[in-house]
PDB file of all heavy atoms in Angstrom:
ATOM      1  N   LYS A 234     -65.011 216.881 -17.601  1.00 96.00           N
ATOM      2  CA  LYS A 234     -64.799 217.940 -18.586  1.00 96.00           C
ATOM      3  C   LYS A 234     -64.644 219.267 -18.020  1.00 96.00           C
ATOM      4  O   LYS A 234     -65.520 219.638 -17.264  1.00 96.00           O
ATOM      5  CB  LYS A 234     -65.750 217.820 -19.741  1.00 96.00           C
ATOM      6  CG  LYS A 234     -65.549 219.153 -20.772  1.00 96.00           C
ATOM      7  CD  LYS A 234     -66.480 220.217 -20.502  1.00 96.00           C
ATOM      8  CE  LYS A 234     -66.108 221.332 -21.485  1.00 96.00           C
ATOM      9  NZ  LYS A 234     -66.811 222.618 -21.108  1.00 96.00           N
ATOM     10  N   SER A 235     -63.501 220.018 -18.268  1.00 96.00           N
ATOM     11  CA  SER A 235     -63.429 221.418 -17.909  1.00 96.00           C
ATOM     12  C   SER A 235     -62.470 222.093 -18.824  1.00 96.00           C
ATOM     13  O   SER A 235     -61.446 221.426 -19.136  1.00 96.00           O
ATOM     14  CB  SER A 235     -63.007 221.642 -16.455  1.00 96.00           C
ATOM     15  OG  SER A 235     -62.948 223.041 -16.218  1.00 96.00           O
ATOM     16  N   THR A 236     -62.701 223.266 -19.285  1.00 96.00           N
ATOM     17  CA  THR A 236     -61.785 223.953 -19.995  1.00 96.00           C
ATOM     18  C   THR A 236     -60.881 224.802 -19.251  1.00 96.00           C
ATOM     19  O   THR A 236     -59.864 225.485 -19.627  1.00 96.00           O
ATOM     20  CB  THR A 236     -62.375 224.839 -21.183  1.00 96.00           C
ATOM     21  OG1 THR A 236     -63.368 225.635 -20.509  1.00 96.00           O
ATOM     22  CG2 THR A 236     -63.015 224.110 -22.213  1.00 96.00           C
ATOM     23  N   LYS A 237     -61.124 224.815 -17.941  1.00 96.00           N
ATOM     24  CA  LYS A 237     -60.331 225.720 -16.981  1.00 96.00           C
ATOM     25  C   LYS A 237     -59.249 224.944 -16.199  1.00 96.00           C
ATOM     26  O   LYS A 237     -59.662 224.090 -15.438  1.00 96.00           O
ATOM     27  CB  LYS A 237     -61.326 226.332 -15.982  1.00 96.00           C
ATOM     28  CG  LYS A 237     -62.454 227.139 -16.679  1.00 96.00           C
ATOM     29  CD  LYS A 237     -63.395 227.845 -15.690  1.00 96.00           C
ATOM     30  CE  LYS A 237     -64.368 228.670 -16.397  1.00 96.00           C
ATOM     31  NZ  LYS A 237     -65.314 227.979 -17.250  1.00 96.00           N
ATOM     32  N   PRO A 238     -57.975 225.348 -16.382  1.00 97.00           N
ATOM     33  CA  PRO A 238     -56.946 224.649 -15.716  1.00 97.00           C
ATOM     34  C   PRO A 238     -57.143 224.374 -14.192  1.00 97.00           C
ATOM     35  O   PRO A 238     -56.825 223.362 -13.655  1.00 97.00           O
ATOM     36  CB  PRO A 238     -55.650 225.468 -16.094  1.00 97.00           C
ATOM     37  CG  PRO A 238     -56.078 226.120 -17.365  1.00 97.00           C
ATOM     38  CD  PRO A 238     -57.505 226.330 -17.206  1.00 97.00           C
ATOM     39  N   GLU A 239     -57.655 225.466 -13.532  1.00 97.00           N
ATOM     40  CA  GLU A 239     -57.865 225.335 -12.103  1.00 97.00           C
ATOM     41  C   GLU A 239     -58.806 224.217 -11.634  1.00 97.00           C
ATOM     42  O   GLU A 239     -58.660 223.473 -10.810  1.00 97.00           O
ATOM     43  CB  GLU A 239     -58.072 226.619 -11.403  1.00 97.00           C
ATOM     44  CG  GLU A 239     -59.359 227.255 -11.635  1.00 97.00           C
ATOM     45  CD  GLU A 239     -59.406 228.148 -13.069  1.00 97.00           C
ATOM     46  OE1 GLU A 239     -58.413 228.043 -13.724  1.00 97.00           O
ATOM     47  OE2 GLU A 239     -60.395 228.786 -13.203  1.00 97.00           O
ATOM     48  N   ARG A 240     -59.878 224.132 -12.529  1.00 98.00           N
ATOM     49  CA  ARG A 240     -60.796 223.046 -12.291  1.00 98.00           C
ATOM     50  C   ARG A 240     -60.368 221.742 -12.729  1.00 98.00           C
ATOM     51  O   ARG A 240     -60.583 220.721 -12.214  1.00 98.00           O
ATOM     52  CB  ARG A 240     -62.185 223.326 -13.084  1.00 98.00           C
ATOM     53  CG  ARG A 240     -63.005 224.394 -12.397  1.00 98.00           C
ATOM     54  CD  ARG A 240     -64.335 224.479 -13.134  1.00 98.00           C
ATOM     55  NE  ARG A 240     -65.249 225.498 -12.527  1.00 98.00           N
ATOM     56  CZ  ARG A 240     -66.275 226.025 -13.120  1.00 98.00           C
ATOM     57  NH1 ARG A 240     -66.528 225.601 -14.452  1.00 98.00           N
ATOM     58  NH2 ARG A 240     -67.037 226.934 -12.647  1.00 98.00           N
ATOM     59  N   MET A 241     -59.527 221.702 -13.772  1.00 98.00           N
ATOM     60  CA  MET A 241     -58.888 220.475 -14.181  1.00 98.00           C
ATOM     61  C   MET A 241     -58.120 219.888 -12.963  1.00 98.00           C
ATOM     62  O   MET A 241     -58.092 218.703 -12.572  1.00 98.00           O
ATOM     63  CB  MET A 241     -57.954 220.662 -15.335  1.00 98.00           C
ATOM     64  CG  MET A 241     -58.564 220.989 -16.704  1.00 98.00           C
ATOM     65  SD  MET A 241     -57.223 221.256 -17.950  1.00 98.00           S
ATOM     66  CE  MET A 241     -58.121 221.871 -19.233  1.00 98.00           C
ATOM     67  N   ARG A 242     -57.294 220.724 -12.314  1.00 98.00           N
ATOM     68  CA  ARG A 242     -56.442 220.276 -11.167  1.00 98.00           C
ATOM     69  C   ARG A 242     -57.444 219.887  -9.991  1.00 98.00           C
ATOM     70  O   ARG A 242     -57.173 218.897  -9.366  1.00 98.00           O
ATOM     71  CB  ARG A 242     -55.574 221.406 -10.789  1.00 98.00           C
ATOM     72  CG  ARG A 242     -54.480 221.577 -11.655  1.00 98.00           C
ATOM     73  CD  ARG A 242     -53.319 222.472 -11.212  1.00 98.00           C
ATOM     74  NE  ARG A 242     -53.743 223.917 -11.028  1.00 98.00           N
ATOM     75  CZ  ARG A 242     -53.706 224.893 -11.880  1.00 98.00           C
ATOM     76  NH1 ARG A 242     -53.241 224.530 -13.143  1.00 98.00           N
ATOM     77  NH2 ARG A 242     -54.261 225.959 -11.766  1.00 98.00           N
ATOM     78  N   GLU A 243     -58.488 220.726  -9.777  1.00 98.00           N
ATOM     79  CA  GLU A 243     -59.398 220.539  -8.587  1.00 98.00           C
ATOM     80  C   GLU A 243     -59.985 219.067  -8.788  1.00 98.00           C
ATOM     81  O   GLU A 243     -60.020 218.216  -7.814  1.00 98.00           O
ATOM     82  CB  GLU A 243     -60.429 221.528  -8.633  1.00 98.00           C
ATOM     83  CG  GLU A 243     -61.535 221.199  -7.620  1.00 98.00           C
ATOM     84  CD  GLU A 243     -62.723 222.315  -7.859  1.00 98.00           C
ATOM     85  OE1 GLU A 243     -62.489 223.609  -8.091  1.00 98.00           O
ATOM     86  OE2 GLU A 243     -63.907 221.901  -7.654  1.00 98.00           O
ATOM     87  N   ASN A 244     -60.483 218.756 -10.156  1.00 98.00           N
ATOM     88  CA  ASN A 244     -61.129 217.467 -10.200  1.00 98.00           C
ATOM     89  C   ASN A 244     -60.157 216.360 -10.093  1.00 98.00           C
ATOM     90  O   ASN A 244     -60.660 215.102  -9.845  1.00 98.00           O
ATOM     91  CB  ASN A 244     -61.766 217.457 -11.665  1.00 98.00           C
ATOM     92  CG  ASN A 244     -62.908 218.495 -11.719  1.00 98.00           C
ATOM     93  OD1 ASN A 244     -63.417 218.992 -10.799  1.00 98.00           O
ATOM     94  ND2 ASN A 244     -63.359 218.766 -12.912  1.00 98.00           N
ATOM     95  N   LEU A 245     -58.870 216.520 -10.291  1.00 98.00           N
ATOM     96  CA  LEU A 245     -57.917 215.347 -10.140  1.00 98.00           C
ATOM     97  C   LEU A 245     -57.598 215.206  -8.605  1.00 98.00           C
ATOM     98  O   LEU A 245     -57.022 214.002  -8.276  1.00 98.00           O
ATOM     99  CB  LEU A 245     -56.644 215.807 -10.864  1.00 98.00           C
ATOM    100  CG  LEU A 245     -56.506 215.380 -12.225  1.00 98.00           C
ATOM    101  CD1 LEU A 245     -55.193 215.915 -12.817  1.00 98.00           C
ATOM    102  CD2 LEU A 245     -56.609 213.849 -12.512  1.00 98.00           C
ATOM    103  N   ASP A 246     -57.874 216.216  -7.890  1.00 98.00           N
ATOM    104  CA  ASP A 246     -57.341 216.184  -6.473  1.00 98.00           C
ATOM    105  C   ASP A 246     -58.294 215.425  -5.558  1.00 98.00           C
ATOM    106  O   ASP A 246     -58.933 216.091  -4.619  1.00 98.00           O
ATOM    107  CB  ASP A 246     -57.032 217.552  -5.974  1.00 98.00           C
ATOM    108  CG  ASP A 246     -56.479 217.694  -4.728  1.00 98.00           C
ATOM    109  OD1 ASP A 246     -55.879 216.683  -4.072  1.00 98.00           O
ATOM    110  OD2 ASP A 246     -56.569 218.751  -4.018  1.00 98.00           O
ATOM    111  N   ILE A 247     -58.655 214.155  -5.849  1.00 98.00           N
ATOM    112  CA  ILE A 247     -59.588 213.335  -5.085  1.00 98.00           C
ATOM    113  C   ILE A 247     -59.049 212.110  -4.460  1.00 98.00           C
ATOM    114  O   ILE A 247     -59.943 211.319  -4.037  1.00 98.00           O
ATOM    115  CB  ILE A 247     -60.776 213.114  -6.031  1.00 98.00           C
ATOM    116  CG1 ILE A 247     -60.306 212.396  -7.215  1.00 98.00           C
ATOM    117  CG2 ILE A 247     -61.347 214.364  -6.471  1.00 98.00           C
ATOM    118  CD1 ILE A 247     -61.395 211.753  -7.919  1.00 98.00           C
ATOM    119  N   PHE A 248     -57.780 212.059  -4.352  1.00 97.00           N
ATOM    120  CA  PHE A 248     -57.316 210.703  -3.965  1.00 97.00           C
ATOM    121  C   PHE A 248     -56.733 210.840  -2.492  1.00 97.00           C
ATOM    122  O   PHE A 248     -56.020 209.913  -2.006  1.00 97.00           O
ATOM    123  CB  PHE A 248     -56.247 210.112  -4.953  1.00 97.00           C
ATOM    124  CG  PHE A 248     -56.879 209.887  -6.347  1.00 97.00           C
ATOM    125  CD1 PHE A 248     -56.768 210.684  -7.339  1.00 97.00           C
ATOM    126  CD2 PHE A 248     -57.644 208.777  -6.484  1.00 97.00           C
ATOM    127  CE1 PHE A 248     -57.349 210.422  -8.602  1.00 97.00           C
ATOM    128  CE2 PHE A 248     -58.200 208.486  -7.630  1.00 97.00           C
ATOM    129  CZ  PHE A 248     -58.110 209.240  -8.688  1.00 97.00           C
ATOM    130  N   ASP A 249     -56.970 211.994  -1.815  1.00 97.00           N
ATOM    131  CA  ASP A 249     -56.545 212.085  -0.482  1.00 97.00           C
ATOM    132  C   ASP A 249     -57.647 212.163   0.597  1.00 97.00           C
ATOM    133  O   ASP A 249     -57.393 212.628   1.690  1.00 97.00           O
ATOM    134  CB  ASP A 249     -55.701 213.358  -0.446  1.00 97.00           C
ATOM    135  CG  ASP A 249     -56.415 214.599  -0.757  1.00 97.00           C
ATOM    136  OD1 ASP A 249     -57.689 214.450  -1.135  1.00 97.00           O
ATOM    137  OD2 ASP A 249     -55.924 215.696  -0.557  1.00 97.00           O
ATOM    138  N   PHE A 250     -58.804 211.734   0.181  1.00 98.00           N
ATOM    139  CA  PHE A 250     -59.848 211.650   1.218  1.00 98.00           C
ATOM    140  C   PHE A 250     -60.918 210.496   0.848  1.00 98.00           C
ATOM    141  O   PHE A 250     -60.820 210.050  -0.386  1.00 98.00           O
ATOM    142  CB  PHE A 250     -60.611 212.946   1.317  1.00 98.00           C
ATOM    143  CG  PHE A 250     -61.523 213.379   0.150  1.00 98.00           C
ATOM    144  CD1 PHE A 250     -63.016 213.191   0.497  1.00 98.00           C
ATOM    145  CD2 PHE A 250     -61.224 213.525  -0.994  1.00 98.00           C
ATOM    146  CE1 PHE A 250     -63.893 213.642  -0.530  1.00 98.00           C
ATOM    147  CE2 PHE A 250     -62.124 213.754  -2.048  1.00 98.00           C
ATOM    148  CZ  PHE A 250     -63.406 213.904  -1.882  1.00 98.00           C
ATOM    149  N   SER A 251     -61.691 210.225   1.802  1.00 98.00           N
ATOM    150  CA  SER A 251     -62.706 208.973   1.430  1.00 98.00           C
ATOM    151  C   SER A 251     -64.041 209.496   2.041  1.00 98.00           C
ATOM    152  O   SER A 251     -64.201 210.199   3.081  1.00 98.00           O
ATOM    153  CB  SER A 251     -62.433 207.833   2.166  1.00 98.00           C
ATOM    154  OG  SER A 251     -61.101 207.348   1.818  1.00 98.00           O
ATOM    155  N   LEU A 252     -65.113 209.069   1.371  1.00 98.00           N
ATOM    156  CA  LEU A 252     -66.430 209.324   1.855  1.00 98.00           C
ATOM    157  C   LEU A 252     -66.858 208.087   2.671  1.00 98.00           C
ATOM    158  O   LEU A 252     -66.497 207.045   2.384  1.00 98.00           O
ATOM    159  CB  LEU A 252     -67.383 209.451   0.570  1.00 98.00           C
ATOM    160  CG  LEU A 252     -67.234 210.524  -0.436  1.00 98.00           C
ATOM    161  CD1 LEU A 252     -68.036 210.328  -1.580  1.00 98.00           C
ATOM    162  CD2 LEU A 252     -67.329 211.838   0.126  1.00 98.00           C
TER     163      LEU A 252
END
Side-chain angles (χ1 to χ4, degrees):
K234 172 258 169 186
S235 176
T236 47
K237 301 182 174 64
E239 65 279 11
R240 282 187 183 164
M241 292 177 188
R242 287 191 292 275
E243 175 188 323
N244 293 344
L245 270 175
D246 184 18
I247 58 167
F248 296 102
D249 61 351
F250 78 111
S251 303
L252 300 173

